[in-house]
Amino acid sequence: KFCGKGELVIFLHGIGGNKNNWDQNLPEISKYFLCVAWDTRGYGESDDYDGPLNFNDVIEDLKKVIFHFKKKEAVIVGLSMGGQIACFFYEKYPSLVKSLILCDTHFGLNNLNMNEIKNFINSRKDPLINGKEPKDIAKKVAESLIGNKCNKTALNKLIESISMLHKESYIKTIDASFAKTHAHIFKIINVPTLI
């Protein structure tokens, strides 16, 4: 999904999302920039894939998006898992990143409580492995993520987003996101960054 013109801004959704999570942002921001909201592989309208998720493949996908729009760099906006992807991308291709906006993300497993990680994984993955579909866990997961449960519009949009997840890809993303190999991302960011 893309709109606008000018400098490239790429929006990366979170682990329970898709490109539609940016629908309220794109109309306003595209007045000034070329905005692209993507579906990470295995999400939304993107194809599923064989084998485990490899974030290096996702990084290469992101590089292709920048080159597809014939740009030399982009502002990368990452929400949650999208922030992780933005950081991995910056670590590998710093010259392609003009600036970063990292929303509600973390910087590796060393900064997270292991009990929180286990609870996150179990609450999302176990019901799916045991036969439920994303739509069956969407309300409970959405309520655990959203700050203001009284904002029914936002809550319903999040429930809809989680309901649309590709079950197998989501499970593989959970495994890849919390793998020990991603325990450390980087130490220094040398581009303007909003956290």
Side-chain angles (χ1 to χ4, degrees), residues 122-137:
N122 292 339
S123 69
R124 276 111 175 122
K125 193 172 157 182
D126 288 353
L128 299 176
I129 290 171
N130 292 318
K132 292 197 177 209
E133 295 299 319
K135 66 181 176 158
D136 300 324
I137 66 168

Side-chain angles (χ1 to χ4, degrees), residues 8-176:
L8 180 60
V9 180
I10 303 176
F11 294 85
L12 311 177
H13 61 79
I15 197 167
N18 59 62
K19 67 184 173 205
N20 298 329
N21 297 146
W22 303 102
D23 283 352
Q24 292 181 309
N25 307 97
L26 296 182
E28 196 61 36
I29 298 171
S30 67
K31 292 176 184 176
Y32 310 98
F33 301 98
L34 171 57
C35 295
V36 175
W38 81 345
D39 287 323
T40 304
R41 57 176 54 209
Y43 280 82
E45 294 182 52
S46 288
D47 293 334
D48 289 314
Y49 50 91
D50 294 325
L53 175 65
N54 182 334
F55 277 110
N56 285 324
D57 294 335
V58 176
I59 290 166
E60 294 305 316
D61 294 342
L62 185 51
K63 180 181 172 187
K64 289 175 188 172
V65 170
I66 293 171
F67 290 163
H68 172 80
F69 287 96
K70 298 178 175 46
K71 301 292 184 178
K72 294 181 180 177
E73 61 184 5
V75 174
I76 310 289
V77 181
L79 170 65
S80 191
M81 176 191 74
Q84 283 183 287
I85 294 168
C87 292
F88 293 143
F89 185 79
Y90 175 77
E91 185 176 43
K92 186 167 183 182
Y93 295 114
S95 66
L96 297 179
V97 178
K98 181 170 185 171
S99 63
L100 293 166
I101 300 172
L102 307 174
C103 311
D104 195 24
T105 193
H106 65 83
F107 296 95
L109 296 181
N110 292 336
N111 297 312
L112 297 177
N113 175 298
M114 289 311 291
N115 285 333
E116 291 174 355
I117 293 170
K118 286 179 186 174
N119 289 339
F120 176 89
I121 291 170
N122 292 339
S123 69
R124 276 111 175 122
K125 193 172 157 182
D126 288 353
L128 299 176
I129 290 171
N130 292 318
K132 292 197 177 209
E133 295 299 319
K135 66 181 176 158
D136 300 324
I137 66 168
K139 185 174 188 297
K140 184 177 179 182
V141 171
E143 288 176 343
S144 74
L145 294 172
I146 198 160
N148 179 0
K149 292 178 188 160
C150 294
N151 184 340
K152 297 299 181 194
T153 302
L155 179 61
N156 289 335
K157 190 160 176 65
L158 185 54
I159 291 169
E160 178 185 338
S161 177
I162 294 167
S163 296
M164 292 174 56
L165 291 169
H166 302 205
K167 181 176 175 176
E168 296 304 320
S169 292
Y170 180 60
I171 291 170
K172 291 191 276 189
T173 304
I174 290 171
D175 290 340

